[in-house]
C-alpha cells in the first residue's frame, strides 16, 4: 500500500499492489491554522511535556505499591487519586499519613488495658533509648506513652495532696520568730516593771466603758498580728484619740501581749489587754458547749488527728481536699475563736463595738461605721454573695452546710446569702434583747451530736444560723476578703478597701503568704523594735 500526498496537502491517494484497491483518493478539509498559532502551540508543548513526564514518573513511583502497572496508573483511578491532589495543591505526603496512622493507633490503645509486662521508662531519654534498643512498634510505643502519662499524673496528684497537707501544717503552726517574740516579751514581763504597768493607766479606766469613744475588740494569741491590727487602725484614723482597743488573749500569751502594748503604746489611742482567765463571766458553767468542743476525744481527733485517714484521694480533687483541711484547723476549737459570740456579756456597759479579726489590716478611718443606721439589726456585715468571682464573694448557705442532713434541709435555705466574719459592727443593746447566743449553742450541740455532719467549717456556720434575720448589710468597700487564699486579688481593689482581710491559710506572717500582698501588712510592722529585730521576724 502506498500513500501519495498532494503538494497542497489537500488530498491523499492510496494505491494497492494487490489490485483490490487500485486507487483511492481522499480529500482533506482545508486547515486554517496559521503558522504563528502552530509555533506557539509547539512552544507550549515543549515546556509542558517535560513537566508532565516528570510528574507522571513521580506519581508512578509513589503508586508502585497500589498501581501495579503504568497502564493501571493511567486508566484506573490511581492517577486521579494521586495527580488530582497534587495539581490542586493538596499533597498527601508521607508525614501526614504517618500522623494519621498514629492517631488511629492512639485511639485504639486509649481504652485497652496496658500490658502488665510492659516496663515503663522514667524519663523521655529512657523512652528514646528503649525504643532504639528494642525496636518497639507503634502500638507498643503508644501503650508506653499512655502508661507514662498516667504514672506522671498520679505522681503529680500525690505531690499536690502532699503540698496541701504541708501547707495546712504550716498554717496551723507558729513561726519561730513569732514564738520567739512571745517568749522574750513574757520574760520581759517578769523582769521589767515598765512591761507590767497598768493598761490603761488608772486615770483612763473610765474610757473602757464610755460609749462616746469608738470601741474595737480583737481576740488573738498572736502578738505581732495584734500589733498590726491596732497600729493600722490608729494610723488610719482621723481621730485616733477617740479609739479604745480591747485586746483579749489566752492565759499563756497574756504576759507577752501586755508587755508589748505596755512598752509600745499606741498613743493617743487607748489599749486594754485582758486574758480569758480575767473574765469572771467566762466560766465553764456559762459555756458548757465549748468544754465539749475542747475535751471530746472524737472532736480533738478530728482537728488534730491524721487528716489522710478515711479520705479516698482518688475520689476527691485538690480543691475539695484543701477545703476539708481548712475546715479542720485547730483554731476552730479554740475558745478565742468562739469568743465573739459572748461580747455582750463580756462588755456589759458597751452599746456598739467593731470586732476585728487578727488577720486584718485597717487602711481607712472606720469612725463612719458608728454613724450607720442598723435599722434594728444586730450585726453590720459585708454580704459575700454579691460578687462576680467564684472564690470569695459568691458564698451562699449551700457553701457552708450539708443540705442532705434533714435538720439543715428543714430549717435553712441553700440560696440564702452568706456574710463575713472579720470586720463586724455589733449593736450590743439590741443583741441583748435576742436569743442569738442560745441559738448558737443549740446548733453547735446538734452538730456535735451528729458527729460534725451538719457543717465542717468552724464558727461561721453556727453564726450564720444564730444571726439569721439580725444582719444589716454594709457596703463591700468596708471589708475586702480572700487575701489569704486568692492569689489573683486585684491590687487596686486592695488599695481602695477600708479593711483588708487575710482570711485563709496564707497569712502574711507565714512563709506561705503571697509575696505581692505581704507589703500591705508589713508596712505596719515595726521592724526597728529590738524584740522584732532580735527574733529575726524578717527572716521568719
Amino acid at each position: 500500500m502506498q500513500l501519495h500526498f498532494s503538494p497542497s496537502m489537500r488530498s491523499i491517494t492510496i494505491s494497492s499492489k494487490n489490485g483490490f484497491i487500485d486507487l483511492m483518493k481522499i480529500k482533506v478539509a482545508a486547515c486554517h491554522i496559521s503558522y504563528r498559532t502552530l509555533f506557539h502551540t509547539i512552544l507550549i508543548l515543549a515546556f509542558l511535556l517535560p513537566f508532565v513526564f516528570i510528574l507522571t514518573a513521580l506519581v508512578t513511583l509513589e503508586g508502585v505499591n497500589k498501581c501495579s502497572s503504568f497502564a493501571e496508573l493511567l486508566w484506573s483511578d490511581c492517577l486521579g487519586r494521586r495527580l488530582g491532589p497534587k495539581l490542586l495543591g493538596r499533597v498527601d505526603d508521607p508525614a501526614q499519613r504517618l500522623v494519621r496512622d498514629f492517631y488511629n493507633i492512639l485511639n485504639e490503645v486509649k481504652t485497652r488495658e496496658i500490658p502488665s509486662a510492659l516496663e515503663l521508662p522514667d524519663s523521655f531519654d529512657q523512652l528514646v533509648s528503649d525504643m532504639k534498643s528494642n525496636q518497639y512498634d507503634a502500638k507498643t510505643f503508644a501503650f508506653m506513652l499512655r502508661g507514662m502519662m498516667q504514672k506522671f499524673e498520679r505522681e503529680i496528684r500525690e505531690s499536690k495532696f502532699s503540698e496541701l497537707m504541708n501547707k495546712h501544717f504550716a498554717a496551723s503552726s507558729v513561726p519561730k520568730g513569732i514564738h520567739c517574740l512571745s517568749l522574750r516579751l513574757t520574760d520581759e514581763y517578769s523582769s521589767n516593771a515598765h512591761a507590767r504597768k497598768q493598761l490603761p493607766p488608772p486615770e483612763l479606766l473610765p474610757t473602757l466603758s464610755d460609749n462616746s469613744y469608738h470601741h474595737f475588740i480583737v481576740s488573738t494569741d498572736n502578738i505581732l498580728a495584734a500589733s498590726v491590727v491596732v497600729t493600722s487602725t490608729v494610723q488610719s484614723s482621723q481621730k485616733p484619740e477617740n479609739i479604745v482597743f480591747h485586746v483579749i488573749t489566752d492565759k499563756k500569751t497574756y504576759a507577752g501581749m501586755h508587755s508589748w502594748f505596755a512598752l509600745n503604746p499606741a498613743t493617743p489611742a487607748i489599749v486594754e489587754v485582758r486574758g480569758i482567765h480575767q473574765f469572771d463571766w467566762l466560766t465553764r458553767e456559762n459555756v458548757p458547749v465549748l468544754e465539749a468542743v475542747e475535751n471530746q476525744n472524737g472532736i480533738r481527733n478530728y482537728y488534730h488527728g491524721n487528716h489522710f485517714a478515711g479520705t479516698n484521694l482518688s475520689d476527691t480533687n485538690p480543691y475539695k481536699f484543701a477545703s476539708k483541711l481548712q475546715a479542720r484547723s485547730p483554731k476552730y476549737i479554740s475558745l478565742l475563736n468562739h469568743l465573739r459570740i459572748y461580747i455582750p456579756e463580756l462588755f456589759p456597759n458597751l452599746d456598739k463595738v467593731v470586732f476585728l479579726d487578727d488577720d486584718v489590716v485597717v487602711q481607712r478611718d472606720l469612725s463612719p461605721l458608728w454613724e450607720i443606721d442598723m435599722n434594728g439589726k444586730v450585726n453590720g456585715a459585708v454580704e459575700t454573695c454579691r460578687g462576680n468571682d467564684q472564690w470569695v464573694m459568691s458564698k451562699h448557705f449551700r457553701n457552708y452546710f450539708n443540705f442532705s442532713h434533714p435538720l439543715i434541709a428543714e430549717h435553712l435555705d441553700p440560696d440564702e446569702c452568706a456574710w463575713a466574719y472579720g470586720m463586724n459592727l455589733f449593736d450590743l443593746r439590741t443583741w441583748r434583747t435576742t436569743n442569738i447566743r442560745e441559738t448558737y449553742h443549740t446548733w453547735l450541740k446538734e452538730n456535735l451530736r451528729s458527729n460534725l455532719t451538719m457543717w465542717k467549717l468552724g464558727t461561721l456556720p453556727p453564726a450564720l444560723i444564730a444571726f439569721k434575720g439580725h444582719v444589716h448589710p454594709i457596703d463591700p468597700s468596708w471589708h475586702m476578703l480572700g487575701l489569704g487564699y486568692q492569689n489573683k486579688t486585684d491590687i487596686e481593689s486592695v488599695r481602695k478597701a477600708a479593711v483588708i482581710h487575710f482570711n485563709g491559710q496564707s497569712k502574711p506572717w507565714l512563709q506561705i503568704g503571697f509575696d505581692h500582698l505581704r507589703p500591705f501588712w508589713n508596712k505596719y510592722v515595726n521592724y526597728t523594735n529590738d524584740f522584732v529585730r532580735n527574733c529575726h521576724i524578717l527572716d521568719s
Side-chain angles (χ1 to χ4, degrees):
M1 183 181 289
Q2 295 179 345
L3 299 177
H4 299 279
F5 295 90
S6 68
S8 63
M9 298 295 290
R10 298 213 176 170
S11 65
I12 303 173
T13 301
I14 306 173
S15 62
S16 173
K17 292 180 180 181
N18 58 16
F20 289 104
I21 300 177
D22 187 28
L23 180 66
M24 183 180 288
K25 189 173 183 179
I26 302 173
K27 289 185 178 181
V28 180
C31 181
H32 300 287
I33 300 175
S34 66
Y35 289 107
R36 178 176 296 178
T37 302
L38 183 61
F39 173 76
H40 287 162
T41 301
I42 294 173
L43 187 62
I44 291 172
L45 290 174
F47 283 101
L48 184 60
L49 288 175
F51 170 75
V52 173
F53 174 77
I54 294 172
L55 184 58
T56 304
L58 290 174
V59 173
T60 303
L61 291 175
E62 288 185 13
V64 69
N65 293 329
K66 294 185 178 179
C67 302
S68 58
S69 67
F70 183 72
E72 289 183 18
L73 180 66
L74 287 176
W75 304 114
S76 71
D77 62 345
C78 290
L79 182 61
R81 290 199 312 268
R82 295 184 173 278
L83 188 58
K86 292 180 181 291
L87 294 176
L88 295 175
R90 299 194 296 270
V91 181
D92 189 16
D93 58 58
Q96 289 179 334
R97 291 200 303 275
L98 179 62
V99 171
R100 188 166 56 247
D101 292 342
F102 190 59
Y103 286 160
N104 293 333
I105 293 173
L106 288 177
N107 284 327
E108 182 182 349
V109 304
K110 182 170 61 176
T111 57
R112 294 180 58 183
E113 193 73 23
I114 298 176
S116 57
L118 192 63
E119 294 185 7
L120 300 177
D122 295 324
S123 65
F124 179 76
D125 289 340
Q126 185 180 344
L127 173 63
V128 173
S129 176
D130 290 349
M131 290 293 296
K132 288 180 179 179
S133 60
N134 297 318
Q135 295 295 310
Y136 290 135
D137 57 20
K139 186 176 293 186
T140 304
F141 171 76
F143 273 122
M144 295 182 70
L145 190 63
R146 179 182 162 210
M148 289 179 65
M149 291 294 294
Q150 291 179 346
K151 175 185 175 184
F152 292 152
E153 286 175 356
R154 284 194 303 270
E155 291 177 352
I156 292 172
R157 184 180 179 85
E158 291 171 0
S159 176
K160 184 63 178 178
F161 283 120
S162 296
E163 177 191 350
L164 291 172
M165 183 62 74
N166 292 333
K167 190 173 183 179
H168 172 73
F169 290 142
S172 304
S173 63
V174 179
K176 181 174 63 175
I178 293 180
H179 182 62
C180 165
L181 183 67
S182 180
L183 291 178
R184 286 177 176 264
L185 286 167
T186 300
D187 182 66
E188 194 72 12
Y189 184 84
S190 62
S191 61
N192 185 347
H194 292 288
R196 296 192 302 272
K197 69 180 180 182
Q198 185 174 345
L199 292 178
E203 64 273 16
L204 295 179
L205 285 177
T207 63
L208 299 181
S209 56
D210 188 341
N211 285 294
S212 66
Y213 286 82
H214 294 158
H215 294 265
F216 294 87
I217 298 174
V218 59
S219 174
T220 180
D221 59 355
N222 187 326
I223 298 172
L224 190 65
S227 74
V228 169
V229 175
V230 173
T231 301
S232 63
T233 304
V234 172
Q235 290 186 10
S236 301
S237 175
Q238 295 181 2
K239 293 183 178 181
E241 67 278 3
N242 202 31
I243 290 177
V244 176
F245 250 102
H246 305 268
V247 180
I248 306 173
T249 190
D250 56 18
K251 189 173 183 179
K252 66 180 177 59
T253 314
Y254 170 75
M257 188 76 75
H258 191 283
S259 294
W260 176 266
F261 287 105
L263 299 175
N264 303 279
T267 52
I270 300 164
V271 177
E272 172 196 30
V273 177
R274 299 182 71 179
I276 291 176
H277 59 287
Q278 295 175 327
F279 287 96
D280 295 335
W281 182 88
L282 206 60
T283 63
R284 293 302 177 190
E285 291 74 21
N286 289 330
V287 286
V289 67
L290 295 182
E291 183 176 11
V293 170
E294 290 188 338
N295 296 332
Q296 184 174 322
N297 288 332
I299 302 301
R300 294 191 63 82
N301 288 336
Y302 176 82
Y303 288 103
H304 293 282
N306 184 351
H307 298 320
F308 276 112
T311 301
N312 187 349
L313 299 183
S314 62
D315 291 340
T316 187
N317 59 54
Y319 176 73
K320 291 181 179 178
F321 186 66
S323 299
K324 290 180 180 179
L325 287 179
Q326 186 176 350
R328 296 174 77 160
S329 173
K331 72 177 183 179
Y332 293 132
I333 58 173
S334 166
L335 181 55
L336 286 174
N337 201 46
H338 291 267
L339 201 64
R340 68 195 85 190
I341 203 68
Y342 308 114
I343 289 177
E345 290 77 22
L346 300 181
F347 299 94
N349 297 317
L350 296 183
D351 295 337
K352 188 176 286 188
V353 301
V354 168
F355 183 89
L356 297 173
D357 274 353
D358 65 352
D359 53 355
V360 307
V361 173
V362 179
Q363 303 185 126
R364 203 166 73 214
D365 180 31
L366 298 185
S367 59
L369 289 173
W370 273 262
E371 300 172 6
I372 293 177
D373 183 2
M374 300 276 282
N375 295 316
K377 304 296 184 180
V378 173
N379 180 6
V382 168
E383 291 183 315
T384 55
C385 67
R386 308 297 183 188
N388 296 322
D389 66 285
Q390 62 174 328
W391 302 112
V392 182
M393 299 296 288
S394 57
K395 302 294 180 63
H396 297 78
F397 274 29
R398 72 171 71 92
N399 298 104
Y400 297 97
F401 297 100
N402 173 22
F403 276 88
S404 64
H405 194 287
L407 278 179
I408 295 295
E410 180 183 353
H411 291 89
L412 302 180
D413 177 6
D415 294 322
E416 187 165 346
C417 188
W419 47 267
Y421 255 162
M423 199 286 292
N424 301 86
L425 174 66
F426 290 131
D427 184 336
L428 301 186
R429 284 187 301 178
T430 305
W431 189 341
R432 294 185 186 100
T433 65
T434 70
N435 61 346
I436 289 175
R437 177 167 58 90
E438 290 73 18
T439 303
Y440 185 92
H441 279 177
T442 299
W443 280 91
L444 198 55
K445 289 177 181 178
E446 287 292 341
N447 195 36
L448 290 173
R449 277 196 288 265
S450 68
N451 198 26
L452 302 180
T453 57
M454 299 169 71
W455 69 79
K456 300 292 186 184
L457 189 62
T459 55
L460 181 57
L464 290 175
I465 301 175
F467 283 101
K468 198 173 184 308
H470 299 290
V471 178
H472 176 75
I474 61 176
D475 193 278
S477 65
W478 284 111
H479 186 190
M480 182 177 184
L481 298 111
L483 277 69
Y485 63 88
Q486 174 59 281
N487 63 351
K488 295 181 180 179
T489 305
D490 179 61
I491 295 297
E492 191 57 34
S493 299
V494 174
R495 292 193 181 98
K496 293 179 180 178
V499 175
I500 56 175
H501 194 172
F502 290 85
N503 58 313
Q505 291 180 319
S506 300
K507 305 299 185 188
W509 56 82
L510 299 174
Q511 290 287 355
I512 59 175
F514 300 124
D515 291 337
H516 66 295
L517 298 176
R518 203 191 311 271
F520 291 95
W521 188 84
N522 280 348
K523 66 187 293 186
Y524 296 106
V525 176
N526 183 9
Y527 287 109
T528 63
N529 180 275
D530 288 341
F531 291 99
V532 172
R533 191 173 63 253
N534 292 334
C535 285
H536 305 287
I537 296 295
L538 279 170
D539 302 329
S540 61

